[in-house]
Amino acid sequence: IRDICRIPRQNKVEVTMASKKVAEAESSDIIPFDDDLLSAGTGLEEAGADDYAIPFLRVLQSMSPQLKKSDGKYIQGAEEGMFFNTVTESIYDGTEGVSIIPCAYKKKYIEWIPREKGGGFVSDEHDASILKQCKKNDKGRFIYTNDNEISETAEYYCILVADESAPEQVLLSLTSSQLGFSRRWNTMLNNARVKNAKGESVAAPMFSYIYNLTTIPQSNDQYSWMGLSVEKSRPTPMSLAMSALDFMKAARSGEVEVKHEQEGVVTDAEDNDEDVPF
């Protein structure tokens, strides 16, 4: 299970804003243990998949609680446009971006209880046909027959390479206005090529390349928010490619436990009193 969901490291993460560096974990030596100390195991043998949480990689918006000193979720040094790891609470500079390896993609149609009725996750087992049973409200949201909301969601199971010696598994979840970005990235991934053992050019697995994910300001006539941009960076080293392949298989098989949380911050491009669009 530890190969499926990494246990958050205890090292604190700092962001050097002046140099716009991506957050880096403080280095620490691995403690040497003899066989007697290792003989009893780790103590986590009874933990199952539902006892771990895969982190979400989110973009901090102007009204994110991590930016508010009066909020219990406040993080010192956090700024609009930074990336945020929801488990480790690490932050990463959005202008320089993060190195990320996409491993698997899923399209979900997630059912939520509306916030005005208490909010909460209901199900992510619906398929695309559920949208035919929905009506759009005046905010452009899909409303199901039971008055719950259905959120069309693009999920990317990724490896975050902030520290190449200790890559982390994360989930990038995109909805609303960010579905346009998702379609463009999918096209980029679909067009990527590699050579097989015979030297032939073939379609590349999506984890074949490391991508640089950055944040950019976006706006329409009424609202502004921080969106996403992506560029292909470099081929994935073989050691990371093998880890990415394992993660892809785990995500496809449903072994990766995803605990959906309803965002409670302002700044959707389509609605200034609800979610961030991803």
Side-chain angles (χ1 to χ4, degrees):
I1 182 63
R2 288 190 298 275
D3 292 333
I4 297 172
C5 296
R6 286 181 52 84
I7 300 173
R9 291 171 293 168
Q10 298 302 311
N11 299 5
K12 292 184 179 179
V13 176
E14 299 178 351
V15 173
T16 305
M17 294 305 299
S19 57
K20 296 182 180 179
K21 291 182 179 180
V22 173
E24 298 176 353
E26 294 176 357
S27 61
S28 61
D29 296 329
I30 297 177
I31 301 172
F33 272 56
D34 61 28
D35 290 342
D36 288 339
L37 291 172
L38 297 173
S39 61
T42 66
L44 290 167
E45 285 74 19
E46 297 300 316
D50 58 352
D51 295 312
Y52 297 89
I54 182 172
F56 281 76
L57 185 66
R58 302 196 187 279
V59 177
L60 296 178
Q61 304 289 335
S62 61
M63 296 297 290
S64 294
Q66 289 77 20
L67 274 61
K68 298 179 180 179
K69 291 185 177 181
S70 60
D71 197 293
K73 296 181 179 180
Y74 172 73
I75 296 177
Q76 186 174 4
E79 294 185 5
E80 179 184 12
M82 283 184 168
F83 292 99
F84 170 64
N85 182 313
T86 61
V87 170
T88 66
E89 297 190 346
S90 303
I91 51 177
Y92 309 90
D93 185 84
T95 301
E96 185 169 325
V98 292
S99 294
I100 200 164
I101 304 170
C103 301
Y105 169 81
K106 291 185 179 183
K107 191 67 169 291
K108 295 287 187 70
Y109 299 85
I110 302 177
E111 182 178 351
W112 300 95
I113 298 172
R115 284 191 190 80
E116 57 270 22
K117 296 183 178 180
F121 170 76
V122 178
S123 173
D124 63 354
E125 298 298 324
H126 301 294
D127 58 32
S129 64
I130 195 171
L131 296 184
K132 297 179 181 179
Q133 305 174 52
C134 296
K135 294 182 180 180
K136 277 192 173 183
N137 63 12
D138 56 358
K139 297 176 181 177
R141 299 183 181 277
F142 290 101
I143 306 301
Y144 193 34
T145 54
N146 59 5
D147 292 331
N148 286 344
E149 296 178 1
I150 303 297
S151 176
E152 184 178 2
T153 306
E155 294 184 342
Y156 294 86
Y157 295 75
C158 301
I159 292 179
L160 178 66
V161 197
D163 180 354
E164 200 158 311
S165 65
E168 299 178 74
Q169 296 170 352
V170 296
L171 183 66
L172 183 67
S173 182
L174 309 178
T175 65
S176 189
S177 58
Q178 290 305 314
L179 292 175
F181 164 82
S182 172
R183 288 188 286 269
R184 292 191 295 274
W185 195 14
N186 284 345
T187 300
M188 184 185 300
L189 294 167
N190 187 61
N191 289 338
R193 312 288 291 181
V194 293
K195 288 186 177 181
N196 62 15
K198 298 179 181 179
E200 301 167 332
S201 177
V202 297
M206 64 189 301
F207 58 76
S208 298
Y209 293 92
I210 296 176
Y211 291 81
N212 189 49
L213 191 66
T214 58
T215 61
I216 56 173
Q218 295 182 313
S219 63
N220 58 20
D221 292 341
Q222 293 180 295
Y223 310 116
S224 61
W225 67 100
M226 296 303 295
L228 292 168
S229 180
V230 69
E231 292 183 354
K232 187 189 294 183
S233 177
R234 63 188 188 278
T236 301
M238 186 55 62
S239 59
L240 290 177
M242 294 304 297
S243 297
L245 175 61
D246 290 341
F247 191 32
M248 179 184 74
K249 292 178 179 179
R252 283 179 172 175
S253 67
E255 295 178 41
V256 181
E257 184 76 12
V258 177
K259 296 182 179 179
H260 294 282
E261 295 181 359
Q262 199 165 17
E263 284 290 278
V265 293
V266 180
T267 61
D268 194 324
E270 301 169 357
D271 172 10
N272 75 337
D273 65 359
E274 291 291 340
D275 315 328
V276 171
F278 39 93

